[in-house]
């Protein structure tokens, strides 16, 4: 059989065909290449591997494979994986902005079968983990995400409506005027770790969505496809991104296997 491996900055994602010929998925921390090697040796030693991702070369050396493993350029693999998932989920779009929210964020435009990178930001999943750890001491991704869902952003952020209290609103009042500005401007309020984590999710979601909305405006497209493992089990981030994108009259699209597009693309290329 075959397997596609996307070795990223934080996570190494694997897509493979199981015994029933169903596409299946597995991920490891990229700090655990040993785990990746054992998984391949124990379960997939005779599989044909195709690699992609920024750490593919490092992983290749670690696997000490006799054969030279094929490598696919990350963005090509990601696009292939996105196209495949769209077909599976019966979503059609001939032109779209694609935002990959990985450790950092990269933004692409797709027209039919061509694509190019148009922007990027250091604000991404690594920021969520890093700021989350700095502000709460938590280190576990799933724990942070779960706790953030109980958080309230009202004590963390300043909304447009907080500033324009009795005045006529120049823009929608529910928009964030200042992410984390509430920490100094609403001093008496108690803030929990959950609130801080929800505030961090707000920064990531609003920055990424804003960049994508502006890119969509500049290129005259309506669909924005958001992918990357930062969306994994992360309904709060999805809601933040979705509501802001819709407010700005764009069409947000989320795919089921958020972080696995690169791995799927590499699997299908074999
Ligand atoms: P990369 O290819 O750069 O590794 P990903 O698309 O895999 O990027 O996204 C990495 C991000 O996904 C992390 O920064 C984190 O926010 C999030 N994430 C999701 N699941 C996990 C996990 N189990 N452990 C750590 N981070 C995770």
């Amino acid at each position: 059989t075959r397997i596609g491996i996307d070795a990223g900055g934080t996570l190494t994602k694997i897509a493979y065909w199981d015994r029933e010929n169903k596409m299946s998925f597995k991920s490891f921390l990229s700090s655990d290449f040993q785990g990746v090697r054992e998984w391949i040796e124990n379960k997939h030693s005779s599989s044909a591997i195709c690699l992609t991702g920024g750490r593919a070369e490092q992983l290749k050396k670690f696997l000490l494979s006799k054969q030279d493993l094929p490598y696919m350029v990350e963005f090509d693999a990601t696009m292939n994986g996105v196209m495949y998932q769209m077909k599976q989920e019966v979503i059609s779009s001939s032109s779209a902005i694609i935002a990959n929210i990985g450790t950092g964020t990269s933004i692409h435009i797709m027209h039919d079968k061509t694509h190019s990178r148009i922007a990027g930001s250091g604000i991404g999943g690594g920021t969520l983990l890093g700021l989350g750890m700095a502000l709460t001491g938590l280190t576990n991704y799933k724990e942070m995400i779960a706790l953030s869902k109980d958080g309230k952003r009202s004590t963390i952020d300043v909304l447009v409506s907080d500033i324009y209290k009795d005045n006529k609103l120049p823009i929608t009042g529910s928009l964030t005027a200042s992410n984390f500005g509430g920490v100094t401007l609403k001093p008496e309020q108690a803030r929990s770790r959950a609130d801080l984590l929800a505030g961090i999710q707000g920064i990531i979601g609003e920055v990424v969505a804003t960049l994508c909305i502006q890119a969509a405006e500049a290129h005259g497209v309506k669909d924005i496809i958001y992918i990357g493992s930062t969306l994994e089990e992360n309904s709060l981030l999805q809601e933040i991104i979705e509501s802001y994108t819709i407010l700005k009259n764009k069409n947000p699209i989320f795919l089921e296997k958020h972080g696995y597009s690169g791995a799927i693309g590499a699997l299908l290329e074999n």
Side-chain angles (χ1 to χ4, degrees):
T1 60
R2 312 183 278 181
I3 57 181
I5 306 181
D6 174 5
T10 307
L11 298 173
T12 293
K13 284 78 59 182
I14 305 178
Y16 63 100
W17 301 108
D18 72 5
R19 290 212 180 85
E20 280 89 51
N21 240 356
K22 201 169 140 271
M23 195 184 283
S24 303
F25 306 92
K26 176 98 189 140
S27 79
F28 294 86
L29 287 173
S30 292
S31 55
D32 182 25
F33 279 172
Q34 180 66 30
V36 178
R37 181 159 81 190
E38 282 166 13
W39 183 85
I40 294 170
E41 282 169 0
N42 292 336
K43 299 207 168 105
H44 295 268
S45 54
S46 58
S47 297
I49 298 172
C50 180
L51 291 170
T52 187
R55 297 190 66 180
E57 199 56 40
Q58 278 166 272
L59 178 62
K60 194 196 292 197
K61 291 209 179 89
F62 192 85
L63 294 176
L64 300 168
S65 178
K66 275 175 228 102
Q67 89 249 54
D68 192 30
L69 300 175
Y71 170 79
M72 202 179 166
V73 175
E74 182 173 357
F75 301 138
D76 293 340
T78 304
M79 278 323 124
N80 275 5
V82 167
M83 304 280 200
Y84 175 83
Q85 288 192 83
M86 294 198 17
K87 228 180 262 159
Q88 295 292 306
E89 298 178 33
V90 205
I91 301 166
S92 70
S93 176
S94 57
S95 295
I97 299 295
I98 300 178
N100 192 352
I101 319 173
T103 308
T105 298
S106 77
I107 299 175
H108 298 252
I109 183 155
M110 171 196 85
H111 277 304
D112 297 318
K113 287 191 163 44
T114 67
H115 63 86
S116 57
R117 188 178 189 281
I118 50 174
S121 170
I123 301 286
T127 317
L128 176 56
L129 283 174
L131 277 182
M133 185 173 158
L135 293 184
T136 69
L138 293 175
T139 53
N140 182 286
Y141 173 79
K142 289 193 174 141
E143 210 179 322
M144 278 188 207
I145 298 308
L147 191 56
S148 72
K149 287 174 189 159
D150 300 329
K152 286 189 305 297
R153 291 173 58 194
S154 55
T155 70
I156 306 286
D157 297 338
V158 177
L159 299 183
V160 170
S161 57
D162 290 330
I163 298 177
Y164 284 82
K165 272 201 180 92
D166 302 313
N167 290 292
K168 194 167 170 293
L169 290 166
I171 50 173
T172 314
S174 60
L175 288 176
T176 310
S178 176
N179 294 86
F180 271 76
V183 172
T184 52
L185 296 176
K186 301 174 180 177
E188 326 85 274
Q189 313 250 18
R191 284 167 200 93
S192 66
R193 293 196 300 182
D195 297 342
L196 292 164
L197 290 167
I200 297 167
Q201 296 253 41
I203 295 186
I204 319 286
E206 289 172 9
V207 168
V208 170
T210 300
L211 288 171
C212 292
I213 290 159
Q214 288 181 354
E217 298 266 325
H219 292 269
V221 307
K222 208 165 156 63
D223 294 338
I224 305 177
I225 303 169
Y226 295 99
I227 60 170
S229 307
T230 314
L231 295 160
E232 201 71 45
E233 289 176 45
N234 194 348
S235 57
L236 177 58
L237 184 63
Q238 280 191 55
E239 281 158 24
I240 293 166
I241 289 173
E242 183 173 41
S243 61
Y244 193 50
T245 306
I246 291 172
L247 182 83
K248 295 291 180 178
N249 294 315
K250 301 289 176 277
N251 178 34
I253 297 171
F254 298 94
L255 302 174
E256 213 174 290
K257 291 287 161 203
H258 305 289
Y260 288 93
S261 294
I264 293 171
L267 171 68
L268 299 175
E269 178 71 5
N270 268 305

